[in-house]
């Protein structure tokens, strides 16, 4: 057990929160940008975790502009060697990274450890993707010439990261961008600056030059300044649809910049006939409540066909009630840590109440037992009777259940969203899955598997307001380099055959 851990019981839900003496406890947001400093607070304790000066965006971009060409001029193998050294640095310091991620993002240590493993694995995936997606090709173009396809870096890339996976998701852009020969100006979420700073320090320790990867500390103002900065060649963003759309709007008149937007979802998980309802319940819990529901691929809507509704709820609700919510570093490990800050906890509680007021039926009450800390227990509401269900991403451990007569209605209901990131079908036959797959609008479509836990070995992105058709992960290579086609001859050999005066 973590030092000073005190279990606090509220109804059926046990919340294990660490209580420390002498800590400076802040009761509102965890992240605070003052004029000169950014401060992050550990969500599980309210203690100040990190503080640092807000960066000068112009200075960072100018330094990156000077640095990228020499980096791009190095041999590809040399850049790859440096990035492999980065993977080794992270592997060596894995426990320190995991501890920092768990503290700053509030996710259980075991999840933070998987995130660190994923960062290490990203280097090999990006090396392979670079070769396969953006490699060189040469072919005969006739009359002694050849045609070549090569790729060039954009120059300075802006990477704006989320707090949910503060290391893995930004690295999914940073590593491909560096391999391609770009310099990167990385702005971590203002809620997870310490992880961002530690990552960039690891790149430097591995040999990436200081100005080739820089960490810009700041809040929305610094983010906006980076997005519109004329010295950058692209923006690779992971975060909310609202922020992504704002970025898109700001750059609408600037087609020269590549913009990759990975945004959220109002993701459906559909359950149809299956004898394996206990397994279905486990998949739903993993989809909706892993990382306290703070994944862009989390299931937000559970759509259940009438025939299995009662039996499924009899498995799901008791299982969700048993989930331990507590200190991310606690032993035994909780299923969920806190949400990221008190504002989020408050908004989630308000959303729960609003859905009930609109006609929802609570199957499992969401609770917030500690008023000053953002621990939430999972909530499940049947919203079948709610007219005009809001099509928004409720970013926390809240699952809305919709009962439907059959699979076709379930598919229609699943598509009843502007988002299109992730969707899953549980149960059914191969034909049912074929119908589901063909008709669902999403970038990730799974069968008998959670909506989340996407692999970095495949493209990661959605449609609708979940993305702009520039997926990350395996396809991030495409966003880091642009194709250049050349027709080439080793000597000028040309004659004008027609149209000449004698
Ligand atoms: C995320 O959804 O935020 C990360 C990837 C996943 O779990 O699928």
């Amino acid at each position: 057990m973590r030092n000073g851990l005190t279990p606090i019981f509220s109804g059926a839900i046990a919340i294990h929160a660490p209580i420390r003496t002498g800590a400076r406890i802040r009761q509102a947001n965890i992240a605070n940008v003052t004029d000169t400093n950014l401060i992050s607070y550990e969500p599980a304790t309210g203690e100040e975790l990190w503080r640092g000066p807000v960066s000068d965006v112009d200075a960072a971009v100018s330094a990156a502009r000077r640095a990228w060409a020499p980096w791009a001029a190095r041999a590809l193998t040399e850049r790859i060697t440096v990035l492999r050294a980065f993977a080794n640095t992270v592997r060596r310091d894995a426990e320190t990274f995991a501890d920092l991620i768990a503290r700053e993002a509030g996710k259980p240590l075991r999840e933070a450890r998987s995130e660190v493993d994923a960062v290490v694995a990203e280097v090999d995936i990006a090396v392979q993707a670079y070769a396969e997606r953006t490699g060189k090709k040469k072919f005969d173009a006739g009359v002694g010439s050849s045609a070549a396809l090569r790729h060039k870096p954009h120059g300075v890339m802006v990477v704006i990261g989320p707090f949910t996976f503060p290391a893995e998701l930004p690295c999914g852009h940073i590593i491909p961008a560096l391999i391609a020969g770009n310099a990167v100006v990385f702005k971590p979420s203002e809620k997870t600056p310490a992880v961002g700073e530690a990552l960039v320090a690891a790149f430097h320790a591995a040999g990436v030059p200081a100005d080739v990867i820089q960490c810009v500390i700041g809040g929305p103002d610094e983010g906006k300044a980076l997005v519109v900065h004329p010295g950058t060649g692209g923006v690779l963003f992971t975060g909310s649809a609202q922020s992504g759309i704002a970025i898109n709007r700001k750059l609408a008149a600037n087609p020269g910049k590549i913009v990759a937007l990975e945004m959220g979802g109002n993701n459906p998980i559909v359950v149809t006939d299956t004898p394996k309802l206990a397994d279905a319940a486990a998949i739903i819990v993993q989809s909706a409540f892993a990382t306290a529901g703070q994944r862009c691929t989390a299931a937000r809507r559970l759509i259940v066909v009438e025939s299995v509704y009662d039996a499924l709820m009899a498995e799901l609700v008791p299982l969700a009630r048993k989930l331990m919510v507590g200190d991310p570093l606690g032993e035994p490990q909780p299923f969920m840590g806190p949400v990221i800050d008190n504002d989020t906890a408050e908004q989630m509680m308000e959303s729960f109440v609003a859905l009930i007021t609109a006609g929802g039926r609570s199957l499992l009450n969401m609770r917030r037992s500690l008023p000053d800390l953002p621990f939430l227990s999972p909530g499940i509401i049947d919203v079948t009777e709610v007219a005009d269900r809001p099509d928004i991403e409720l970013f926390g451990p809240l699952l809305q259940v919709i009962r439907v007569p059959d699979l076709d209605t379930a598919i229609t209901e699943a598509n009843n969203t502007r988002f299109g990131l992730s969707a899953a079908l549980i149960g059914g036959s191969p034909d049912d899955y074929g119908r589901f797959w063909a008709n669902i609008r999403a970038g990730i479509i799974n069968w008998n598997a959670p909506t989340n836990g996407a692999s970095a070995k495949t493209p990661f992105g959605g449609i609708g307001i979940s993305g702009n058709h520039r997926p990350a992960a395996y396809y991030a290579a495409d966003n880091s380099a642009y194709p250049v086609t050349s027709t080439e001859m080793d000597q000028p050999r040309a004659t004008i055959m027609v149209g000449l005066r004698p």
Side-chain angles (χ1 to χ4, degrees):
M1 251 190 177
R2 195 172 172 189
N3 196 19
L5 190 74
T6 308
I8 298 163
F9 292 90
S10 156
I13 306 288
I15 308 263
H16 299 265
I19 306 290
R20 300 194 192 136
T21 49
R24 195 159 87 70
I25 306 284
R26 191 169 185 279
Q27 307 209 346
N29 265 335
I30 63 150
N32 184 24
V33 191
T34 67
D35 280 351
T36 50
N37 274 309
L38 187 138
I39 308 167
S40 90
Y41 297 86
E42 198 174 332
T45 62
E47 288 174 31
E48 182 176 321
L49 179 72
W50 182 94
R51 85 166 48 207
V54 168
S55 304
D56 178 337
V57 167
D58 282 333
V61 174
S62 299
R65 282 181 66 77
R66 287 190 296 273
W68 80 264
W71 174 248
R74 290 197 198 182
L76 173 62
T77 48
E78 203 185 316
R79 293 198 299 274
I80 290 173
T81 302
V82 172
L83 287 160
R84 291 222 157 100
F86 163 75
N88 288 335
T89 307
V90 174
R91 195 183 284 116
R92 189 195 62 214
D93 297 337
E95 211 41 37
T96 311
F97 269 110
D99 180 82
L100 187 59
I101 292 169
R103 284 175 193 274
E104 196 172 44
K107 63 169 73 173
L109 187 58
R110 61 168 203 294
E111 283 190 27
R113 286 181 176 139
S114 315
E115 181 169 351
V116 175
D117 290 345
V119 169
V120 172
E122 273 173 340
V123 173
D124 278 344
I125 293 169
V127 169
Q128 189 184 343
Y130 184 80
E132 290 175 5
R133 303 285 304 174
T134 49
K136 289 184 199 163
K137 276 191 188 133
K138 221 166 176 181
F139 42 92
D140 185 7
V143 285
S145 68
S146 58
L149 167 64
R150 304 183 184 92
H151 291 80
K152 286 197 193 193
H154 295 283
V156 177
M157 299 300 278
V158 174
V159 173
I160 300 180
F163 71 81
T164 52
F165 283 79
E168 180 184 346
L169 293 182
C171 277
H173 287 301
I174 293 171
I175 294 168
L178 292 176
I179 289 176
N182 299 280
V184 174
V185 180
F186 165 42
K187 194 191 98 54
S189 161
E190 59 268 30
K191 296 175 184 183
T192 50
V195 174
E197 185 190 61
L199 264 187
V200 170
F203 280 111
H204 293 161
V208 182
D211 292 341
V212 169
I213 169 80
Q214 298 173 71
C215 185
V216 160
I217 295 297
D221 288 349
E222 286 68 32
K224 281 179 205 148
L226 279 172
V227 164
V228 298
H229 201 291
T232 67
V235 178
L236 309 173
F237 167 81
T238 312
S240 70
Q242 197 187 3
S243 305
I245 290 166
I247 290 172
N248 217 25
R249 203 171 277 138
K250 282 206 180 307
L251 295 179
N254 196 340
K257 280 199 199 204
I258 187 160
V259 182
L261 304 172
E262 309 314 328
M263 302 177 281
N266 189 11
N267 307 304
I269 185 163
V270 170
V271 182
T272 188
D273 295 312
T274 171
K276 306 204 62 173
L277 288 170
D279 300 73
I283 293 171
I284 295 162
V285 159
Q286 171 64 23
S287 300
F289 303 128
T291 324
Q294 298 175 115
R295 293 196 192 194
C296 44
T297 48
R300 309 286 173 210
R301 296 175 296 142
L302 168 61
I303 301 165
V304 188
V305 300
E306 187 72 50
S307 51
V308 291
Y309 182 94
D310 290 337
L312 179 67
M313 293 309 138
E315 295 284 350
L316 175 64
V317 174
L319 181 63
R321 188 176 282 122
K322 279 205 284 199
L323 298 180
M324 279 174 56
V325 182
D327 180 5
L329 301 182
E331 279 301 336
Q333 275 275 280
F335 187 85
M336 287 164 35
V339 293
I340 191 68
D341 58 23
N342 285 331
D343 282 354
T344 303
E346 217 162 280
Q347 281 162 19
M348 291 306 300
M349 289 303 295
E350 278 170 17
S351 300
F352 185 87
V353 172
L355 286 170
I356 298 291
T357 310
R361 185 167 56 88
S362 175
L363 302 176
L364 183 63
N365 281 335
M366 176 183 271
R367 291 176 199 272
R368 183 175 182 198
S369 302
L370 303 167
D372 297 338
L373 291 173
F375 289 94
L376 294 177
S377 66
I380 305 178
I381 306 182
D382 186 321
V383 294
T384 311
E385 300 303 325
V386 175
D388 301 327
R389 291 187 281 274
D391 181 23
I392 52 175
E393 183 181 41
L394 294 173
F395 212 66
L398 175 55
L399 182 65
Q400 300 170 62
V401 185
I402 302 161
R403 186 198 283 241
V404 292
D406 52 37
L407 182 57
D408 287 330
T409 321
I411 291 171
T412 305
E413 186 61 53
N415 280 333
N416 189 13
T417 173
R418 299 164 298 163
F419 294 89
L421 183 57
S422 180
L425 173 69
I426 312 297
S429 64
D431 279 353
D432 290 335
Y433 177 55
R435 205 154 86 247
F436 184 80
W437 195 94
N439 290 290
I440 286 291
R441 297 184 68 261
I444 299 166
I445 303 178
N446 296 337
W447 188 26
N448 292 322
T451 53
N452 52 19
S455 164
K457 292 182 180 160
T458 55
F460 179 79
I463 57 167
I465 59 167
S466 292
N468 68 336
H469 300 280
R470 294 201 182 277
Y474 181 67
Y475 280 4
D478 304 27
N479 306 328
S480 296
Y482 64 94
V484 179
T485 313
S486 308
T487 303
E488 298 167 345
M489 283 204 225
D490 54 1
Q491 295 288 333
R493 283 190 294 274
T495 329
I496 305 294
M497 307 286 286
V498 291
L500 296 182
R501 279 194 204 95

